[in-house]
């Protein structure tokens, strides 16, 4: 198997084990066994359990960025851009539940490089939203744009956690709930 394909396989299995057991309880032995490789091979690819976790988080962050960027590409309307971006986020969480669980279980990782990687994921989304807002909204200060983007990210994270407790809520419904609250405050700032 080519190295890149093997690495992807290891990351996918590790993500599943980390999501099931939590980072602290997950073992490299179990991950190696599920992948069908030796434990030393895992260490050869990732150096440590933390290195494997970081690879999982980076992959999830990259996939989330691609999903949200693709969703808003070539959208000329601010409301539609927000709706599509939110929908892409909630679809990602619905379809990639393990990735989402990995990203949201940061409390067990405080003070580690993994916590920094999770915060980098938030920053990535905030930067993307801020960039979009700058293109659609009036003469808001950079600080106001950044604060608004942080608010959107925080609100969506909390709504996604709420959706975990209400499994019947679809990505479309979650998007509608978020739009109902967020767009009301943002629409008056749109350039006409």
């Amino acid at each position: 198997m080519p190295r890149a394909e093997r690495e992807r396989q290891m990351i996918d299995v590790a993500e599943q084990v980390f999501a099931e057991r939590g980072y602290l309880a997950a073992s490299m032995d179990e991950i190696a066994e599920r992948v069908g490789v030796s434990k030393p091979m895992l260490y050869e690819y990732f150096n440590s359990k933390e290195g494997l976790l970081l690879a999982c988080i980076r992959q999830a962050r990259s996939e989330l960025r691609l999903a949200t960027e693709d969703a808003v590409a070539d959208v000329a309307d601010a409301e539609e851009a927000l709706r599509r971006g939110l929908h892409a986020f909630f679809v990602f969480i619905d379809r990639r539940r393990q990735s989402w669980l990995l990203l949201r279980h940061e409390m067990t990782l405080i003070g580690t490089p993994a916590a920094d990687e999770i915060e980098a994921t938030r920053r990535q989304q905030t930067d993307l939203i801020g960039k979009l807002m700058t293109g659609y909204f009036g003469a808001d200060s950079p600080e106001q744009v950044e604060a608004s983007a942080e608010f959107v990210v925080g609100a969506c994270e909390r709504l996604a956690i709420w959706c975990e407790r209400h499994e019947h809520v679809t990505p479309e419904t979650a998007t509608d709930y978020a739009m109902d609250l967020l767009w009301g405050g943002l629409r008056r700032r749109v350039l006409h």
Side-chain angles (χ1 to χ4, degrees):
M1 179 179 292
R3 181 177 175 90
E5 191 176 328
R6 174 67 75 191
E7 186 173 307
R8 173 66 190 225
Q9 180 188 34
M10 291 174 182
I11 289 170
D12 289 345
V13 170
E15 183 179 273
Q16 181 180 9
V17 174
F18 290 144
E20 288 171 7
R21 305 211 187 296
Y23 172 70
L24 297 176
S27 77
M28 293 292 269
D29 288 320
E30 180 179 2
I31 294 167
E33 183 180 317
R34 286 194 194 185
V35 174
V37 299
S38 68
K39 187 170 146 182
M41 182 179 266
L42 282 178
Y43 284 101
E44 179 183 325
Y45 276 69
F46 302 102
N47 297 320
S48 65
K49 184 167 104 170
E50 185 177 58
L52 181 53
L53 175 65
L54 294 175
C56 291
I57 293 169
R58 288 178 187 130
Q59 178 176 289
R61 181 173 64 236
S62 175
E63 291 171 0
L64 177 58
R65 181 168 187 101
L66 283 173
T68 51
E69 282 180 335
D70 287 351
V72 300
D74 301 324
V75 178
D77 175 74
E79 182 177 8
E80 186 61 22
L82 181 61
R83 178 175 294 285
R84 286 186 187 186
L86 292 171
H87 187 255
F89 173 75
F90 290 116
V91 166
F92 177 86
I93 286 171
D94 185 58
R95 292 185 182 157
R96 298 290 313 275
R97 180 75 53 183
Q98 292 170 177
S99 296
W100 167 244
L101 290 174
L102 190 64
L103 291 173
R104 91 166 186 83
H105 284 248
E106 71 183 288
M107 292 309 292
T108 60
L109 305 170
I110 288 177
T112 69
D116 295 338
E117 287 292 332
I118 292 169
E119 183 56 30
T121 302
R122 281 191 190 98
R123 185 85 246 142
Q124 165 191 285
Q125 294 307 109
T126 300
D127 291 346
L128 176 61
I129 292 166
K131 186 171 133 185
L132 286 169
M133 286 181 169
T134 299
Y136 291 119
F137 298 130
D140 291 342
S141 71
E143 187 175 85
Q144 186 177 14
V145 169
E146 184 179 358
S148 299
E150 290 282 354
F151 184 83
V152 170
V153 168
C156 289
E157 276 188 32
R158 291 307 308 170
L159 183 56
I161 291 168
W162 177 84
C163 287
E164 288 178 34
R165 295 190 311 271
H166 299 87
E167 292 183 11
H168 66 281
V169 175
T170 65
E172 292 74 24
T173 301
T175 300
D176 289 342
Y177 290 164
M179 283 297 294
D180 184 50
L181 291 171
L182 296 171
W183 185 244
L186 293 172
R187 89 171 125 225
R188 60 177 203 259
R189 294 171 39 210
V190 175
L191 290 170
H192 296 286

